[in-house]
Amino acid sequence: MDKETVSQLKKETALKNFRFNRFLLLRYLLAGFFFTNLYWLLSLAMSKSMWSLLPLGLIVLSVPAIAEHLRLYGYPSDDVRNQLKWHRLYQITQTITNIVLMVSVLTNLGFEQVFPFFTNNVTSKGFVSCILLVGILLSGVILKRINSIYSQKDKHATYITEFSKLNN
């Protein structure tokens, strides 16, 4: 290979990596939600609770979102408006689920059924409330990031634009 071909390959790889790194936070938080729901599913399954269908549903809904991220590595465009629809749907569903669970914890309606592995006391409810609140906040961060990616206002879009200008 000559220097020009190697240089062109480096530029293409750098651009591909810029585009891929744009979704880094989204991928890591999606994995975090996946494994949190998996742990919750296993805990409910060991308790032989019918509520295990709730985390199972969230896990099933996260699979198309995970597949979207796998496809995005080779995606040749910066316009990804239609590429994160499953991830967006998953995060909205996760947020709504966490809000409903928060209401359940605060009103004591179904706490023992949804979280049978915790004792029904203030400490357990405080711990679960903190976990749910963090989940709500992280989902909000993800939804905000998806919207900024859709509108091309994220910092990686700026990097991609600058890099493309400098290398064309």
Side-chain angles (χ1 to χ4, degrees), residues 82-95:
N82 294 321
Q83 298 300 317
L84 295 169
K85 61 184 176 192
W86 284 104
H87 192 164
R88 191 169 186 279
L89 174 66
Y90 170 76
Q91 288 304 327
I92 290 169
T93 305
Q94 183 71 56
T95 303

Side-chain angles (χ1 to χ4, degrees), residues 5 18 32 38 54 69-70 75 79 96 99 107 128 144 146 150 155:
T5 306
F18 274 133
L38 182 62
L54 183 59
H69 284 280
L70 293 174
Y75 196 71
D79 185 17
I96 291 169
I99 290 170
T107 61
V128 172
K144 184 177 178 186
I146 289 172
Y150 278 176
K155 68 180 179 178

Side-chain angles (χ1 to χ4, degrees), residues 14-150:
L15 192 58
K16 191 181 224 184
N17 285 332
F18 274 133
R19 288 182 178 135
F20 190 67
N21 289 338
R22 189 177 194 186
F23 308 104
L24 197 61
L25 178 68
L26 300 179
R27 287 194 314 268
Y28 282 129
L29 291 179
L30 180 61
F33 279 113
F34 177 86
F35 286 109
T36 301
N37 287 325
L38 182 62
Y39 179 73
W40 184 28
L41 170 67
L42 294 174
S43 298
L44 285 171
M46 287 190 291
S47 301
K48 295 182 174 77
S49 173
M50 287 299 295
W51 284 98
S52 59
L53 294 174
L54 183 59
L56 179 64
L58 290 169
I59 290 170
V60 168
L61 188 59
S62 72
V63 171
I66 293 167
E68 276 181 336
H69 284 280
L70 293 174
R71 284 191 307 267
L72 278 173
Y73 183 65
Y75 196 71
S77 174
D78 299 328
D79 185 17
V80 292
R81 278 181 288 225
N82 294 321
Q83 298 300 317
L84 295 169
K85 61 184 176 192
W86 284 104
H87 192 164
R88 191 169 186 279
L89 174 66
Y90 170 76
Q91 288 304 327
I92 290 169
T93 305
Q94 183 71 56
T95 303
I96 291 169
T97 301
N98 284 0
I99 290 170
V100 169
L101 290 172
M102 181 71 88
V103 170
S104 168
V105 169
L106 296 176
T107 61
N108 205 29
L109 294 172
F111 177 80
E112 292 175 345
Q113 289 77 27
V114 180
F115 303 105
F117 38 87
F118 284 114
T119 56
N120 192 354
N121 62 31
V122 175
T123 305
S124 295
K125 288 181 181 182
F127 176 73
V128 172
S129 294
C130 286
I131 298 285
L132 292 171
L133 187 60
V134 167
I136 292 167
L137 294 173
L138 289 175
S139 288
V141 167
I142 292 170
L143 290 168
K144 184 177 178 186
R145 176 69 65 96
I146 289 172
N147 287 335
S148 70
I149 289 171
Y150 278 176

